[in-house]
């Protein structure tokens, strides 16, 4: 079964607009590394994340110390940050007996590039909205476009070109 690691930027952007449940549109085990959960300290993201984790569809995980240390070395970081926690998950999955797909949801450029280089599929919170629209018959393109605009207004500012691309991928 595939595993999808969610980074802090995606937790923040989807949590601020009350749309973290869109993460459940993925086929696979959706996880939020514990350092990401701990770093999510802004309301309403905290409340929305707690509600999501109280359900059975998404869980918080801690990766092995050895994987965290490897991720820190790759990043050149000394503390266990959220980036190291996400990358450690990709490393752990890559080295496991179950080499099924691994994906990362993040807007962080460094995390995205490193995870892509490690063989993970990478998407953003906007990609989550697009996927949910395509996979879920209950989320209409009109609703998805509103969600993209709300995310854009709550801090994950897109250039006009990127916003139109995200909205365009949703279709009509």
């Amino acid at each position: 079964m595939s595993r999808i690691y969610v980074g802090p930027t995606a937790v923040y952007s989807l949590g601020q607009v009350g749309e973290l449940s869109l993460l459940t549109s993925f086929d696979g085990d959706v996880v939020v590394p514990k350092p990401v959960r701990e770093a999510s300290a802004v309301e309403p993201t905290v409340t929305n994340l707690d509600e999501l984790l109280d359900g059975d569809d998404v869980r918080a995980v801690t990766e092995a110390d050895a994987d965290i240390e490897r991720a820190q070395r790759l990043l050149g970081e000394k503390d266990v940050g959220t980036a190291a926690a996400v990358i450690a998950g990709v490393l752990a999955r890559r080295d496991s007996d179950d080499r099924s797909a691994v994906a990362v949801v993040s807007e962080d450029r460094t995390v995205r590039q490193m995870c892509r280089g490690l063989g993970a599929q990478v998407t953003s919170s906007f990609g989550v909205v697009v996927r949910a629209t395509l996979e879920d018959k209950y989320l209409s393109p009109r609703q998805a476009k509103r969600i993209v605009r709300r995310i854009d207004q709550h801090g994950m500012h897109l250039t006009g070109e990127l916003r139109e691309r995200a909205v365009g991928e949703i279709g009509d």
Side-chain angles (χ1 to χ4, degrees):
M1 174 183 279
S2 63
R3 182 170 275 190
I4 299 94
Y5 291 89
V6 184
T9 53
V11 167
Y12 174 81
S13 60
L14 292 168
Q16 284 296 296
V17 298
E19 299 294 346
L20 281 168
S21 64
L22 294 177
L23 291 167
T24 62
S25 69
F26 286 101
D27 293 327
D29 187 17
V30 179
V31 296
V32 176
K34 286 194 179 173
V36 170
R37 181 182 190 178
E38 293 163 2
S40 300
V42 177
E43 289 293 350
T45 297
V46 173
T47 299
N48 290 329
L49 182 58
D50 286 345
E51 288 175 6
L52 181 71
L53 292 170
D54 282 342
D56 294 330
D57 296 324
V58 178
R59 60 193 177 96
V61 298
T62 302
E63 297 302 334
D65 289 342
D67 293 316
I68 294 286
E69 289 171 10
R70 285 174 53 203
Q72 289 171 319
R73 281 193 307 273
L74 287 173
L75 289 166
E77 293 182 11
K78 293 180 182 171
D79 21 313
V80 179
T82 56
V86 172
I87 293 167
V90 173
L91 289 168
R93 196 68 173 177
R94 181 179 155 166
D95 294 343
S96 73
D97 291 335
D98 179 9
R99 300 194 106 229
S100 58
V102 62
V104 171
V105 182
S106 178
E107 279 77 21
D108 183 294
R109 180 177 285 168
T110 301
V111 169
R112 291 171 62 88
Q113 289 175 337
M114 184 137 327
C115 290
R116 193 175 288 123
L118 293 169
Q121 296 293 317
V122 177
T123 192
S124 66
S125 54
F126 299 104
V128 171
V129 176
V130 170
R131 179 180 181 87
T133 304
L134 298 175
E135 301 286 325
D136 183 355
K137 62 183 179 182
Y138 301 108
L139 183 63
S140 72
R142 181 183 205 127
Q143 291 170 308
K145 289 176 184 179
R146 274 185 267 186
I147 293 169
V148 167
R149 288 184 182 103
R150 285 185 10 238
I151 291 171
D152 187 40
Q153 293 169 350
H154 279 86
M156 296 307 295
H157 296 290
L158 295 171
T159 64
E161 177 185 343
L162 286 175
R163 181 177 37 224
E164 290 310 310
R165 180 174 164 208
V167 168
E169 287 183 21
I170 293 168
D172 291 316

